[in-house]
Amino acid sequence: IWSNILDYVRQNISDVEYHTWFRDVKPLGVEQGELILGVKNAFSQEWFKSHYVKLIEMAMRDMGAQNPKVNFQVLPAVQDAMLLPGTPTPAPAPEPRPAPAVHMVTEPNRVNLNAKYTFDNFVVGPNNNLAHAAAVAVAESPGRAYNPLFIYGDVGLGKTHLMHAVGHFVSERHPHMRIEYVSTESFTNDLINAIRDDKMTAFRNRYRSIDLLLVDDIQFLAGKERTQEEFFHTFNALHENHKQIILSSDRPPKDIETLEARLRSRFEWGLITDIQSPEFETRVAILKMNAEIRRISVPQDVLELIAKHVTSNIRELEGALMRVVAFASLNNVEVNRSVAAKALSEIFTPNTVQLDMNDILRSVANFYGVTPEALKGTGRAREIVIPRQMAMYMIRELTTHSLPEIGQFFSRDHSTVLYAIQKMTEQIQKDTELTKVAQQLSQRLKQSPM
Ligand code: ADP
Ligand code: MG
């Protein structure tokens, strides 16, 4: 049975994911219809619970199980190995901080603010400082700063996080206030249900008695006339009573097609602010914060490696970090640069991983008409020093090797390598000829990893 389940799983996830997670899982048996799987440690137990329960249950159902259930147990032997000195000790589960009590509007479980999404856990950078400042202003005086606050930006850049942060902040300061966070989808569904069940009065009462309404992904109002109509009235009722409204969207109001003009103009009444992709330093800071929240220690150069390669989306950034930590923990090794590179080989461009230091050395030597041996040697002539610095620079740019590893390759210590790379970086910035050389070399190497 288990091998069938594995086959099913394998078809539905990537190879790397499969090998990272499923290689060491042991079926322990079936207890009262529940499949018990043994996993290596508490960390992977949590990971399985949050990522693979559905998939495994689907696999079981696929094989005919009526009411599939799966549970996980930590295998004792490996648990001990985790405690050996020198092995990383990832936090078992990122223990959510207790969420402040949030006032329910009608039924319980409606208000679902993520306890992690607070201002404290939000890294402010040049990409999001305006949106952050606006959110803080609104949180400090709801209904009186900017109303509505409209936050837009691409997916995974922190819009939902900021909205929840306002929710937490307001609920702590004003425990009596009614706060509701809804996705535009669930607003639409509520409306459809209310219409179907003839409960429009209840629907209106509920939405119009909110003090702070957070509506996420409002771009999904596009093309939904009836929902737009109802939302228009909800908006007006709240706004007239100085109740705070915060909206998020993946684009500014003017770019939401088929949005009624009267709604669009209302969305533009308050403040419109955007969130951009974070730059390198902010990405590193976010990773650092993430590691701290999860109480795991990750070396700076690993954070930088991840931040260098995962550039677009913060959720992916966090996913990459978790993958690295998980990979190290499952293999009982310390988190370092090369472990991280291995764990992430799938999401890095293939060339970054495949390129070998010798290939790069040869290619640079070739370009300058010198021998690779000379570049590895001790010669101090300018004709050698520049190409040598370029080779170190290229290796650092195009591979995931650490400074000490590059140093070893050149029989030098890592500070010498660091100095050479810094020197070359400056030169390339100043000297347009050199900029071209670097571009050519890098292109050549990327195209034909020898
Ligand atoms: P969006 O709603 O824009 O798609 P989210 O708010 O869901 O994005 O953010 C995606 C993930 O990135 C969340 O886990 C969130 O906590 C995290 N995140 C986004 N921005 C920041 C930030 N500035 N600091 C720390 N974490 C962030
Ligand atoms: Mg969101």
Side-chain angles (χ1 to χ4, degrees):
I1 304 173
W2 178 235
S3 69
N4 290 342
I5 294 178
L6 283 181
D7 283 345
Y8 183 95
V9 166
R10 197 171 198 149
Q11 283 161 17
N12 284 285
I13 60 178
S14 73
D15 278 345
V16 172
E17 211 178 330
Y18 179 84
H19 284 291
T20 308
W21 294 108
F22 283 87
R23 200 186 44 198
D24 293 309
V25 176
K26 302 246 171 346
L28 298 179
V30 179
E31 280 172 29
Q32 293 163 348
E34 189 176 72
L35 174 67
I36 312 287
L37 297 178
V39 294
K40 270 186 123 177
N41 51 43
F43 183 85
S44 47
Q45 184 180 31
E46 284 309 314
W47 190 271
F48 269 97
K49 279 187 181 165
S50 57
H51 289 79
Y52 296 123
V53 170
K54 278 233 176 72
L55 182 61
I56 294 171
E57 289 179 353
M58 265 160 61
M60 292 165 73
R61 191 169 290 124
D62 194 47
M63 287 161 45
Q66 293 292 319
N67 185 19
K69 281 222 163 48
V70 62
N71 216 331
F72 306 94
Q73 260 175 32
V74 177
L75 295 167
V78 189
Q79 179 76 358
D80 292 344
M82 286 288 299
L83 302 176
L84 288 175
T87 55
T89 51
E95 244 180 63
R97 300 184 182 181
V102 172
H103 203 282
M104 303 299 174
V105 176
T106 40
E107 322 129 48
N109 295 329
R110 275 216 63 87
V111 179
N112 44 347
L113 294 181
N114 185 325
K116 245 183 58 193
Y117 293 174
T118 60
F119 281 126
D120 281 347
N121 292 347
F122 191 84
V123 175
V124 183
N127 61 310
N128 61 23
N129 60 347
L130 294 179
H132 173 262
V136 170
V138 162
E140 279 175 344
S141 44
R144 281 177 291 129
Y146 311 107
N147 205 13
L149 174 62
F150 191 103
I151 304 171
Y152 74 92
D154 281 341
V155 65
L157 295 183
K159 302 181 296 293
T160 301
H161 187 138
L162 265 187
M163 291 178 119
H164 284 220
V166 175
H168 287 305
F169 191 98
V170 170
S171 85
E172 257 167 52
R173 287 226 182 153
H174 312 279
H176 59 281
M177 276 198 181
R178 296 187 163 186
I179 299 168
E180 187 145 5
Y181 166 85
V182 279
S183 63
T184 298
E185 256 184 343
S186 60
F187 181 87
T188 306
N189 288 338
D190 283 352
L191 176 65
I192 292 170
N193 291 339
I195 296 171
R196 187 195 59 205
D197 301 342
D198 218 1
K199 292 202 170 124
M200 277 310 290
T201 314
F203 176 90
R204 289 185 180 134
N205 287 343
R206 197 181 102 215
Y207 275 101
R208 294 176 196 184
S209 61
I210 291 167
D211 295 298
L212 170 61
L213 176 61
L214 313 164
V215 186
D216 214 349
D217 294 313
I218 199 78
Q219 75 271 9
F220 292 130
L221 275 187
K224 297 189 178 118
E225 281 165 39
R226 183 73 177 86
T227 312
Q228 288 191 23
E229 162 92 21
E230 195 56 41
F231 188 69
F232 175 76
H233 295 299
T234 304
F235 185 103
N236 288 344
L238 294 179
H239 199 274
E240 269 161 29
N241 291 310
H242 306 283
K243 306 302 188 187
Q244 181 69 48
I245 300 159
I246 306 183
L247 307 169
S248 87
S249 165
D250 66 352
R251 65 201 82 173
K254 68 174 167 47
D255 293 342
I256 304 178
E257 294 141 28
T258 70
L259 183 67
E260 283 181 39
R262 56 183 187 168
L263 264 183
R264 177 168 310 153
S265 77
R266 272 164 182 75
F267 292 173
E268 291 167 349
W269 272 355
L271 183 76
I272 301 176
T273 180
D274 68 330
I275 303 185
Q276 298 288 334
S277 298
E279 40 291 286
F280 178 75
E281 287 77 9
T282 310
R283 296 201 296 277
V284 174
I286 289 172
L287 285 171
K288 203 173 220 160
M289 161 90 71
N290 230 274
E292 273 164 24
I293 292 174
R294 296 167 199 265
R295 284 177 271 120
I296 42 189
S297 94
V298 181
Q300 179 75 12
D301 63 345
V302 171
L303 299 180
E304 288 177 5
L305 176 77
I306 298 171
K308 190 169 154 194
H309 288 273
V310 184
T311 55
S312 57
N313 174 318
I314 296 169
R315 196 169 292 125
E316 280 171 18
L317 202 61
E318 295 175 350
L321 175 65
M322 292 328 290
R323 176 181 280 269
V324 168
V325 171
F327 183 89
S329 139
L330 286 174
N331 293 294
N332 270 309
V333 290
E334 236 171 294
V335 178
N336 63 33
R337 227 181 125 95
S338 60
V339 166
K342 239 179 245 151
L344 298 176
S345 54
E346 190 193 342
I347 61 172
F348 289 175
T349 58
N351 290 334
T352 316
V353 178
Q354 278 162 18
L355 277 180
D356 170 306
M357 287 201 271
N358 273 308
D359 294 339
I360 298 174
L361 184 75
R362 240 182 293 136
S363 180
V364 173
N366 233 332
F367 183 88
Y368 283 101
V370 294
T371 64
E373 292 71 36
L375 296 189
K376 277 187 152 186
T378 54
R380 302 289 316 152
R382 200 182 143 73
E383 297 77 38
I384 294 296
V385 170
I386 299 284
R388 182 182 294 139
Q389 288 178 351
M390 179 62 88
M392 291 179 179
Y393 173 86
M394 281 293 153
I395 289 174
R396 182 67 172 178
E397 280 295 298
L398 299 175
T399 73
T400 54
H401 289 293
S402 65
L403 293 175
E405 281 165 355
I406 302 174
Q408 203 173 26
F409 183 69
F410 284 93
S411 314
R412 285 162 166 84
D413 69 24
H414 75 278
S415 59
T416 310
V417 176
L418 179 63
Y419 174 79
I421 291 170
Q422 278 171 350
K423 200 87 192 161
M424 185 46 69
T425 310
E426 279 168 27
Q427 293 291 320
I428 288 174
Q429 272 162 8
K430 271 192 270 173
D431 182 343
T432 51
E433 267 308 298
L434 213 51
T435 315
K436 271 189 220 143
V437 170
Q439 276 167 358
Q440 267 184 27
L441 269 170
S442 138
Q443 237 161 33
R444 218 188 264 188
L445 280 161
K446 280 185 192 161
Q447 275 162 10
S448 59
M450 287 168 276

